[in-house]
């Protein structure tokens, strides 16, 4: 078996390693990023988007770049080495993975383009005080009303939940086994402790594609590390 990185993967590794080294080369830079209201650097998050890192695990049809586990591993290794503060694990790997594999078509269409361009971040609200390590122990409930879904319950230890624009919340919809998840806008999550929250998915208002393929996400240029690898083939 060949465990060597491909040329495209090596270019990705070089790009991410260089970015993290420049941004977190000494601890004072990290402290500076941490002083932002979000707890990380929004400017650096925008650079992640420009490099294509935020769209890495999503398919090209979804507006991403079709990366896999190896590409995600390369990015996470670099971020871990630099003790990076940005919510890549919470937003792209956990929240994005849940959205990619378990979200509805409407949820994916509404949120993935915003994730890829860096204007939206996700946090996965799963753990509850009584659940400990039992992922099936979910007491939060979701009730459908004429205005949308109403969530009633409390979640704890939500990674980057204080800065996320949307929460993916696990909740019971029918008895002991009817578990589901909903993506909720989180404009007031910093002030939420124990409360009910009602949220509706914001509709998508436009598309940059021609009318013949209006349901697909806008075309996006490939990041520099992908263009270089393709040019050398």
């Amino acid at each position: 078996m060949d465990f060597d990185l491909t040329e495209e993967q090596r270019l990705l590794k070089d790009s991410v390693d260089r970015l993290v080294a420049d941004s977190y080369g000494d601890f004072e830079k990290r402290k500076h990023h941490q002083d932002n209201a979000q707890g990380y650097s929004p400017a650096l998050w925008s650079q992640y988007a420009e490099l294509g890192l935020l769209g890495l695990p999503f398919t090209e049809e979804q507006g991403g770049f079709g990366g896999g586990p190896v590409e995600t591993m390369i990015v996470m290794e670099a971020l871990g080495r630099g003790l990076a503060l940005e919510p890549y694990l919470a937003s792209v790997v956990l929240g994005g993975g849940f959205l990619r594999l378990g979200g509805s078509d409407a949820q994916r269409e509404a949120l993935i383009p915003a994730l890829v361009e860096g204007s939206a971040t996700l946090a996965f609200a799963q753990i509850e005080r009584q659940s400990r390590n039992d992922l099936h122990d979910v007491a939060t409930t979701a009730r459908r009303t004429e205005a949308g879904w109403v969530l009633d319950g409390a979640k704890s230890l939500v990674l980057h939940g204080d800065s996320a624009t949307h929460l993916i919340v696990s909740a019971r919809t029918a008895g002991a086994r009817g578990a589901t998840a909903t993506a909720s806008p989180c404009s007031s999550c910093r002030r939420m402790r124990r409360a009910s929250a009602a949220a509706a998915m914001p509709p998508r208002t436009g598309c940059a594609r021609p009318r013949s393929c209006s349901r697909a996400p806008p075309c996006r240029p490939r990041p520099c590390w992908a263009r270089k690898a393709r040019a050398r083939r």
Side-chain angles (χ1 to χ4, degrees), residues 59-98:
T59 65
E60 294 186 6
E61 290 77 12
Q62 293 170 339
F65 300 104
V70 174
E71 287 77 13
T72 301
M73 175 198 70
I74 290 171
V75 175
M76 289 303 302
E77 280 185 342
L79 298 181
R81 189 181 304 115
L83 299 178
L85 298 165
E86 287 68 41
Y88 195 86
L89 174 63
S91 186
V92 179
V93 180
L94 295 180
F98 193 99

Side-chain angles (χ1 to χ4, degrees), residues 2-200:
D2 185 6
F3 291 101
D4 291 336
L5 299 178
T6 66
E7 183 178 5
E8 189 169 291
Q9 289 167 346
R10 287 195 298 271
L11 289 170
L12 171 63
K13 185 179 187 308
D14 291 342
S15 297
V16 181
D17 286 347
R18 190 180 310 111
L19 175 62
V20 173
D22 291 343
S23 305
Y24 289 96
D26 61 69
F27 207 71
E28 291 302 316
K29 291 183 178 180
R30 188 178 191 275
K31 289 169 63 177
H32 175 72
H33 298 327
Q34 196 171 19
D35 287 339
N36 286 283
Q38 297 90 335
Y40 63 90
S41 170
L44 192 52
W45 190 248
S46 296
Q47 291 186 52
Y48 289 7
E50 292 173 5
L51 277 176
L53 305 184
L54 305 186
L56 198 59
F58 302 107
T59 65
E60 294 186 6
E61 290 77 12
Q62 293 170 339
F65 300 104
V70 174
E71 287 77 13
T72 301
M73 175 198 70
I74 290 171
V75 175
M76 289 303 302
E77 280 185 342
L79 298 181
R81 189 181 304 115
L83 299 178
L85 298 165
E86 287 68 41
Y88 195 86
L89 174 63
S91 186
V92 179
V93 180
L94 295 180
F98 193 99
L99 186 64
R100 178 169 54 89
L101 299 174
S104 66
D105 290 340
Q107 289 172 330
R108 287 193 290 264
E109 184 178 346
L111 284 177
I112 288 179
L115 285 174
V116 172
E117 68 182 17
S119 62
T121 55
L122 296 178
F124 184 34
Q126 160 69 14
I127 299 175
E128 299 181 4
R129 179 174 296 181
Q130 82 290 340
S131 65
R132 298 180 65 83
N133 296 323
D134 186 359
L135 299 180
H136 299 283
D137 187 351
V138 178
T140 299
T141 61
R143 176 171 51 88
R144 189 189 290 274
T145 68
E146 293 182 359
W149 287 95
V150 174
L151 299 174
D152 188 2
K155 299 291 184 177
S156 59
L157 303 176
V158 181
L159 183 61
H160 287 285
D162 60 333
S163 60
T165 62
H166 291 72
L167 292 176
I168 294 182
V169 184
S170 59
R172 294 284 177 195
T173 55
R177 302 187 64 85
T180 187
T182 181
S184 304
C186 186
S187 58
S188 61
C189 60
R190 289 187 184 85
R191 298 187 295 274
M192 289 176 64
R193 290 298 180 267
R194 296 187 181 187
S196 299

